[in-house]
Amino acid sequence: PHLRTFDDLFQTCKVAGAWPLIYNDYLTAQVTNVPLVHGSGATATNKLTVIIKPFRDGECAQRKLYQATAGNLPTTFDDGTITSGREEGVVIIEVIPGEHVEIHIRYIATLIVIRQVGRYITFAVRMPEELIQYQGAEDMQLCVKGCPVSEQIDYATFLSQTTRADRNYKELRVDAIAKCRKAKIYDEYLDSCVFDLLTTGDANFTQAAKSALTDVNRLHPNASFLFKNRTSVFENASFPGYRDIEGG
Amino acid sequence: CDILWCSYQYEADTDPLDPGPYPDFCRALQRYQRCVDRISPGSCRGDLHYHSTKTVIPDLQRNYECERVLREENNPGPTRAVETTTRPSRNGGDNDSDSPGTNGRPPFFPDILSDAPETGGSQRCQYTGSRSFRHCGLFGD
């Protein structure tokens, strides 16, 4: 999957299996990533688990478990409730049935956005900087530390390949760029959309990139500055950029 | 400066509406104004989006005669001048405190955004810390 960390590092990772995104005194979020069927080496998220920890003796929140899996995006916690705490410090909101659910955690001003696109899950969170807990050198939180180097994929190099054995590769890439551009996806999200289309051919990933872009524009505190130039990594790269690929 | 949050909510509110002198649209403008008013001006110093929004909302309310539209909405007479022919809003359009798609559940967008405490409920569950935020996201393959 593609990851934007709290520090705005943008990475493409393998991270097969279960990995923590966040764990702190208030909540835990963890994803499970599975290899895609056709053996491309790519993985995608098919499960998300969120645990809300008790807060103020249950006045604001009791311990709650939320689990989304491929094909099942619940609108409640595991116990069937939609709120937590006597004062309802936590609420689940169904925005689009089967596609978009949000967990609002009032007492820590935190919003978690969970989407199901095709058969896969996407995750986005906005939380106060002061509540992010760095766990030192052993920290495994993907949102905090990013992916381990051994798990990272250099997607820019992958996309710039022009000598692939597949004779249709260049045409596929032009087609993928056109589809992603048509969806009005830009910046790293354009690159990740192209990468996903090339590795899977699954058009659902175009929608996933588009949704992720929507979420970052909504949740990122500096989104208007972040995307001021709306350039992908290709624009300033030494390898063939999108303009070259598209023949100017 | 949380102006983007307010603008997001306004866009979501008005997405299914036709702009014009209609009660639903005027209520959306009212919500937008309240949300912007909750933002501490000091946190938006130099933010053009914030300052232009502060100017534009009253202009729109004047242009669409929102004061009159909402007054007539509250006191409907036999000869209403303004037709309320808007498409139904996503939230039903008549709940002043609904957030997009909340299906009538408690409003939480303004709560998370606002420094002002919500009316009702325990103050102990209000977040009072720093409003400097971070974002993280995971998607795709």
Side-chain angles (χ1 to χ4, degrees):
Chain A
H2 309 284
L3 172 73
R4 177 182 284 280
T5 70
F6 284 132
D7 291 326
D8 281 331
L9 293 172
F10 196 95
Q11 299 173 341
T12 298
C13 311
K14 302 172 206 165
V15 287
W19 288 78
L21 290 164
I22 301 169
Y23 48 83
N24 56 41
D25 292 342
Y26 312 98
L27 67 101
T28 296
Q30 175 179 291
V31 287
T32 304
N33 304 307
V34 290
L36 298 173
V37 286
H38 47 69
S40 66
T43 61
T45 303
N46 75 341
K47 183 174 181 181
L48 172 74
T49 305
V50 177
I51 297 171
I52 311 285
K53 299 181 181 176
F55 193 74
R56 293 199 193 283
D57 297 326
E59 183 176 347
C60 305
Q62 292 123 10
R63 182 183 173 83
K64 290 284 177 179
L65 174 65
Y66 178 85
Q67 292 189 92
T69 53
N72 180 29
L73 189 68
T75 57
T76 67
F77 292 109
D78 260 24
D79 60 6
T81 58
I82 60 169
T83 64
S84 181
R86 290 187 294 280
E87 298 293 341
E88 299 191 342
V90 184
V91 172
I92 294 183
I93 293 173
E94 179 187 46
V95 180
I96 303 173
E99 293 181 20
H100 179 176
V101 164
E102 298 185 350
I103 302 176
H104 293 245
I105 312 174
R106 186 166 58 135
Y107 50 89
I108 53 171
T110 293
L111 171 58
I112 298 173
V113 177
I114 304 152
R115 296 178 187 268
Q116 179 173 241
V117 185
R119 290 192 48 75
Y120 300 104
I121 306 289
T122 74
F123 167 89
V125 65
R126 170 176 157 133
M127 68 183 301
E129 184 175 16
E130 66 181 8
L131 300 185
I132 298 168
Q133 292 172 355
Y134 297 84
Q135 316 279 355
E138 301 303 311
D139 199 334
M140 294 287 283
Q141 301 176 78
L142 295 181
C143 282
V144 175
K145 291 271 284 193
C147 301
V149 174
S150 61
E151 297 290 329
Q152 292 178 26
I153 295 171
D154 182 355
Y155 72 86
T157 301
F158 176 86
L159 291 178
S160 71
Q161 292 176 77
T162 54
T163 56
R164 289 263 300 250
D166 185 349
R167 282 186 301 171
N168 295 325
Y169 180 69
K170 195 168 179 180
E171 287 79 27
L172 290 172
R173 189 168 56 180
V174 169
D175 185 50
I177 294 168
K179 282 178 179 165
C180 295
R181 279 239 165 99
K182 190 178 176 188
K184 296 182 179 174
I185 298 168
Y186 49 84
D187 261 76
E188 299 101 330
Y189 297 84
L190 173 63
D191 302 329
S192 58
C193 173
V194 173
F195 178 92
D196 289 358
L197 279 183
L198 285 175
T199 50
T200 68
D202 185 346
N204 280 317
F205 286 116
T206 307
Q207 184 55 44
K210 180 71 179 171
S211 298
L213 190 54
T214 300
D215 290 338
V216 71
N217 271 311
R218 177 184 169 203
L219 301 180
H220 197 292
N222 299 313
S224 54
F225 297 102
L226 201 64
F227 299 119
K228 195 174 177 182
N229 296 319
R230 297 193 175 190
T231 56
S232 75
V233 293
F234 272 58
E235 301 297 334
N236 299 315
S238 57
F239 44 75
Y242 287 134
R243 286 180 199 147
D244 302 320
I245 291 169
E246 291 167 331
Chain B
C1 182
D2 281 330
I3 187 65
L4 285 176
W5 281 79
C6 296
S7 297
Y8 169 81
Q9 188 177 3
Y10 171 70
E11 285 167 15
D13 280 351
T14 54
D15 183 45
L17 301 175
D18 294 323
Y22 309 125
D24 283 353
F25 197 80
C26 287
R27 274 193 291 271
L29 281 170
Q30 272 189 337
R31 278 195 289 274
Y32 198 13
Q33 174 122 52
R34 277 202 295 273
C35 184
V36 173
D37 286 346
R38 288 191 192 114
I39 299 172
S40 162
S43 67
C44 297
R45 188 175 299 130
D47 189 319
L48 287 177
H49 185 161
Y50 171 80
H51 291 289
S52 59
T53 303
K54 290 276 282 187
T55 307
V56 163
I57 295 174
D59 285 350
L60 287 172
Q61 287 175 322
R62 267 192 302 275
N63 289 346
Y64 294 134
E65 301 179 90
C66 283
E67 193 177 336
R68 180 178 61 80
V69 167
L70 292 173
R71 190 173 58 239
E72 290 183 0
E73 170 79 355
N74 291 331
N75 301 294
T79 54
R80 287 180 61 186
V82 177
E83 292 293 327
T84 54
T85 54
T86 54
R87 283 172 278 150
S89 79
R90 214 179 311 179
N91 305 322
D94 57 358
N95 187 340
D96 195 37
S97 59
D98 260 0
S99 294
T102 57
N103 298 334
R105 291 176 183 172
F108 264 71
F109 281 119
D111 188 21
I112 282 177
L113 298 174
S114 170
D115 287 327
E118 287 284 298
T119 54
S122 166
Q123 297 292 315
R124 279 163 54 85
C125 295
Q126 300 289 341
Y127 177 71
T128 55
S130 161
R131 305 194 75 79
S132 174
F133 290 95
R134 293 291 181 97
H135 162 266
C136 170
L138 185 84
F139 68 98
D141 82 65

